[in-house]
Amino acid sequence: MAVATLALHCHCLLFSSSSSNKSITRLRTWLPNETPTLSSLQRSHFSLISCSSSTSPPSPEVSTPTAESSVNLGLSLFSKGRVKDALVQFDTALTLDPSPMEAQAALYNKACCHAYRGEGKKAAECLRTALRDYNLKFGTILNDPDLASFRALPEFKELQEEARLGGEDVGYGFRRDLKLISEVQAPFRGVRRFFYVAFTAAAGISLFFTIPRLFLAIKGGDDAPNIWATVGNAAINFGGIIILVALFFWDNKKEEEQLAQISRDETLSRLPLRLSTNRVVELVQLRDTVRPVILAGKKESVSLAIQRAERFRTELLKRGILLVPVVWGEGRAPKIEKKGFGLPPKAAASLPSIGEDFEKLAQSVVSKSKLKAEIRFKAEVVSPAEWERWIKDQQKSEGVTPGENVYIILRLDGRVRRSGKGMPDWQQIVKELPPTEALLSKLER
C-alpha cells in the first residue's frame, strides 16, 4: 500500500523490498468478487524514520493516538492481513485533526483497503475526496499496483471520467495532463483558436462602425454612403463572425472528443492480460514492445480469425503482433482465478502513463526486455467484462453498433491505430505494418 503521508517532525519516507513479517501486503486479485489469500501476495516495505536523536523508529503503538500514529498503525495492521482493523485506524486518523497530508494518506490507504475487499464504491468515494480536497494526483491511482483490482471496476471508469471533465476540481491535474497530450497530438489548435478570436474581434469592431453608416445609407441624403456597398460590408462582417464562432466551437468539440479518446486509451492501457507464461500484466507494460490486435466477437468468428492468423504467424511476429481474443458474453460469468495479479514493485514503477512522473515511468529497459521474452503470439484477457465494456465504448465513439464483430489494431505506443468491422485481413496487415526493428516502427514508439 502506498504511503501518502509525511511525519510531523522531519520524517523521511524510505522504500525497500522485503519479505519480513513487517512488510506491506500488496494486492494481487483482479476479480472484484474474488477473496484474495495472504499467502500468495507480493510484499513491499515502507518505513518512516525520524530525524531526531532517537535511534529507534517511532512505534505505532502510542499512548496518545495522533493522526500520524493511526495511519502507521493501520499500515502495520494491513501488513498482517487485518484489513478490517486497518480500516478502523484510518477512520480514526480522520477524526484526529489530521494535516492535509495525513488526511490524504488516511483516505488513500483506506481506499486501498476497500479495493482489497472488492468494495469499489467505497474505494471510489475515498479517492474522490482525496482528489478534490487533498490534492491527490490522479497518476498515483493509475500507477499503484494496490489499486489494480479497483481499476478493473466500473467505479474507476466513473472516477476517471469525472477527472477528465474536471468536475468539482476532481483530478484537475489529470485533465491538465490530458490537455498536454492533446496539444502534442494537435499542436496548431491553440494557434487556430487565437486567430479565431482575433478575427472575430476585428470583424466585430468593423461591424460596430458599419452599422451607423448603414442607418445613414438607409436614411439617404447628399452625404449618405452607398447603401449596397454598406450592406455588403455589414454582411461580410456579420457572416465572418458567425463562421469564426462556429469554427471555434467546432474546434472545442473536437478537443473534447480527443480528450475522451485519450482517456479511453488510458483505460485500455490498464486492462489486464495473461501471457503464455501465466504471468498477468497490464497492457501498458507491453508498450513499445508489441502491437496488440484485439479480436472481439462471437466465439466462432474469433476462433476462425486466429486459425487464419496462424498461416502468417512468422511474418506477424516480426511485426510484433499479439492476438488478444475477446469473446462476447464471457465476461458475464467470470471464472475464479487461482492466481491473481502479481506485479513486482520494479515493474509497477516502470509503467509509462500520463501524470507527473511520466518521463521517469517510461525509462525502464530491463523490465521491457524481461517481458519481451515472455510474449508469444497470443494472450488471454483477464476480467473479460471490463474488456467488453471498453470495446463497446470504443464502438459507440466510432458509430458502430455495440456487440458487432470488430478488430482493433493498436500502435506500439498503445494508441488505437485503426479498427474495422468483422475480422482482419492478415495478408493486408502484413503489407501495411513494418517490422518492429524498422525505422517506421521506431517513429511509432
Side-chain angles (χ1 to χ4, degrees):
M1 179 180 297
V3 180
T5 185
L6 295 177
L8 294 179
H9 303 291
C10 189
H11 290 88
C12 57
L13 183 63
L14 299 181
F15 175 91
S16 64
S17 297
S18 173
S19 58
S20 65
N21 294 330
K22 295 182 179 180
S23 60
I24 301 302
T25 306
R26 302 295 266 174
L27 178 62
R28 291 177 59 111
T29 181
W30 263 101
L31 297 177
N33 299 322
E34 179 185 353
T35 303
T37 58
L38 291 176
S39 60
S40 61
L41 301 180
Q42 287 286 342
R43 302 178 181 274
S44 301
H45 183 92
F46 291 87
S47 61
L48 287 171
I49 298 180
S50 175
C51 294
S52 62
S53 58
S54 175
T55 58
S56 61
S59 171
E61 304 287 349
V62 292
S63 56
T64 304
T66 63
E68 178 191 354
S69 65
S70 295
V71 170
N72 288 335
L73 179 56
L75 290 169
S76 176
L77 291 170
F78 185 85
S79 70
K80 299 172 184 177
R82 298 167 59 184
V83 181
K84 185 176 180 180
D85 294 335
L87 280 170
V88 172
Q89 291 301 319
F90 296 138
D91 282 328
T92 301
L94 294 172
T95 65
L96 296 175
D97 192 25
S99 67
M101 275 302 234
E102 291 166 345
Q104 182 193 102
L107 286 165
Y108 183 81
N109 292 321
K110 184 180 175 183
C112 289
C113 286
H114 285 308
Y116 183 91
R117 291 157 60 99
E119 299 168 345
K121 290 184 179 179
K122 292 181 179 180
E125 283 304 314
C126 293
L127 294 173
R128 185 176 286 108
T129 303
L131 287 165
R132 183 180 61 239
D133 300 334
Y134 299 105
N135 198 33
L136 175 67
K137 304 301 182 184
F138 202 87
T140 304
I141 301 173
L142 290 172
N143 292 298
D144 190 352
D146 277 342
L147 291 175
S149 62
F150 174 69
R151 291 194 293 268
L153 297 176
E155 287 81 6
F156 168 71
K157 183 184 176 184
E158 293 173 5
L159 186 66
Q160 187 181 41
E161 187 66 11
E162 281 186 50
R164 183 182 70 81
L165 297 175
E168 299 182 2
D169 295 328
V170 172
Y172 170 78
F174 181 62
R175 182 171 176 83
R176 177 199 61 205
D177 293 333
L178 290 178
K179 289 179 76 70
L180 288 174
I181 296 174
S182 175
E183 290 173 7
V184 171
Q185 296 180 7
F188 299 109
R189 178 176 286 127
V191 176
R192 290 199 305 270
R193 286 178 174 172
F194 171 78
F195 283 113
Y196 293 156
V197 173
F199 290 153
T200 299
I205 294 172
S206 178
L207 184 63
F208 177 78
F209 289 105
T210 302
I211 289 176
R213 290 176 56 83
L214 181 60
F215 286 137
L216 290 175
I218 294 173
K219 185 177 181 180
D222 295 337
D223 296 331
N226 184 280
I227 186 169
W228 297 113
T230 306
V231 169
N233 289 335
I236 291 172
N237 290 324
F238 187 72
I241 291 173
I242 292 176
I243 293 173
L244 290 169
V245 170
L247 287 173
F248 183 85
F249 282 107
W250 176 82
D251 222 338
N252 279 349
K253 181 181 178 182
K254 287 296 181 183
E255 182 186 35
E256 288 301 319
E257 291 176 355
Q258 188 179 36
L259 292 178
Q261 181 60 55
I262 296 171
S263 183
R264 280 195 299 273
D265 289 344
E266 187 63 27
T267 301
L268 172 65
S269 72
R270 297 298 162 181
L271 294 177
L273 283 174
R274 189 186 306 282
L275 302 179
S276 58
T277 56
N278 211 34
R279 180 182 179 187
V280 177
V281 298
E282 289 181 330
L283 196 59
V284 67
Q285 291 176 264
L286 306 181
R287 283 180 181 172
D288 300 336
T289 306
V290 297
R291 293 184 174 102
V293 177
I294 303 170
L295 306 172
K298 297 180 180 179
K299 188 172 183 178
E300 299 78 13
S301 302
V302 173
S303 299
L304 182 59
I306 294 175
Q307 289 176 12
R308 291 176 176 173
E310 287 290 344
R311 305 174 190 172
F312 304 91
R313 183 187 183 100
T314 302
E315 292 301 320
L316 291 175
L317 283 173
K318 288 181 180 178
R319 287 151 179 79
I321 295 297
L322 177 68
L323 303 183
V324 182
V326 180
V327 177
W328 296 135
E330 282 194 349
R332 296 170 190 169
K335 301 176 182 178
I336 297 177
E337 302 290 338
K338 294 182 179 179
K339 294 186 178 181
F341 181 82
L343 193 61
K346 284 189 177 181
S350 70
L351 303 185
S353 173
I354 62 176
E356 58 181 352
D357 296 326
F358 180 87
E359 294 298 331
K360 178 181 177 182
L361 297 173
Q363 290 176 354
S364 172
V365 176
V366 176
S367 61
K368 289 183 183 299
S369 63
K370 290 180 179 178
L371 271 175
K372 193 171 183 180
E374 297 183 58
I375 295 169
R376 300 295 185 267
F377 190 50
K378 177 185 167 187
E380 176 188 352
V381 298
V382 181
S383 298
E386 295 307 311
W387 279 89
E388 285 189 32
R389 185 178 290 111
W390 181 88
I391 293 169
K392 289 178 179 178
D393 285 345
Q394 183 71 13
Q395 287 177 319
K396 288 180 183 178
S397 71
E398 297 183 359
V400 179
T401 304
E404 289 189 14
N405 292 345
V406 294
Y407 68 92
I408 302 171
I409 304 176
L410 305 185
R411 294 158 48 100
L412 287 170
D413 61 8
R415 290 188 290 156
V416 175
R417 181 186 184 94
R418 69 178 176 88
S419 59
K421 294 182 181 180
M423 293 293 114
D425 182 345
W426 298 114
Q427 189 172 6
Q428 180 62 32
I429 289 177
V430 169
K431 293 179 181 178
E432 175 186 337
L433 297 178
T436 54
E437 301 302 323
L439 176 61
L440 291 176
S441 294
K442 293 179 180 179
L443 295 175
E444 193 176 296
R445 290 181 168 91

